[in-house]
Amino acid sequence: MSMTSKFMSRRAVLGGTLAAATLPPVAQGQDERGSTGHKAAEVRIRIGFNNLTLTATLSDNPTARDLVSMLPLNLTIEDYGRNEKIVHLPRKLTEEGSGAFGNEQPGDLCYFKPWGNLALFYADYRWDGLIRLGRFDNGFEPLLVRGAYPVRIERI
């Protein structure tokens, strides 16, 4: 084997090694994003108040993940306006990656950026300054009960 051939073989081996080292993270990233049809693991929460329970499936966004990092929470849920209940959180959540969204509808669980509240919608709404955290799984009837109540929010 000539000196040039040995040099080229070393280059090929080194190049192949570098290429192989970069492929697994790329492939792993594609799997996590669902390019092969797999979805990210769904995170669900339970919201209980006044002997009533709601469950919600959260979106995969930084604000929803920040909320989950705070759970469990024991707070107060109360009426706000004619279309929602709110929960005052102990601190503001991250707004990283937030942006406008459409298709607002009853059953949305949102984060109200200006005041740092959870907004649980049971009627039509439109408002800039919200981040959708997820949707209620099986309706939102418990939100129709008027009043303020102790509430527990936990991951399930």
Side-chain angles (χ1 to χ4, degrees), residues 98-143:
S98 69
F101 62 91
N103 194 26
E104 296 96 335
Q105 57 189 314
D108 283 346
L109 172 62
C110 297
Y111 175 69
F112 189 63
K113 294 187 288 186
W115 289 305
N117 301 328
L118 290 182
L120 300 82
F121 290 99
Y122 55 84
D124 290 334
Y125 72 97
R126 282 193 102 35
W127 186 260
D128 294 334
L130 293 170
I131 299 171
R132 184 183 288 147
L133 299 176
R135 299 225 4 103
F136 296 111
D137 296 328
N138 298 312
F140 50 83
E141 289 75 24
L143 297 176

Side-chain angles (χ1 to χ4, degrees), residues 1 5 12 30 33 38 48 54 57 60 66 71 76 78 80-81 84 90 93 95 142 145:
M1 194 177 246
S5 188
Q30 289 174 345
R33 285 191 306 268
H38 298 288
L54 291 161
T57 300
D60 185 17
D66 194 14
L71 301 180
T76 300
E78 58 189 293
Y80 189 83
E84 70 184 287
L93 300 176
E95 296 175 16
V145 176

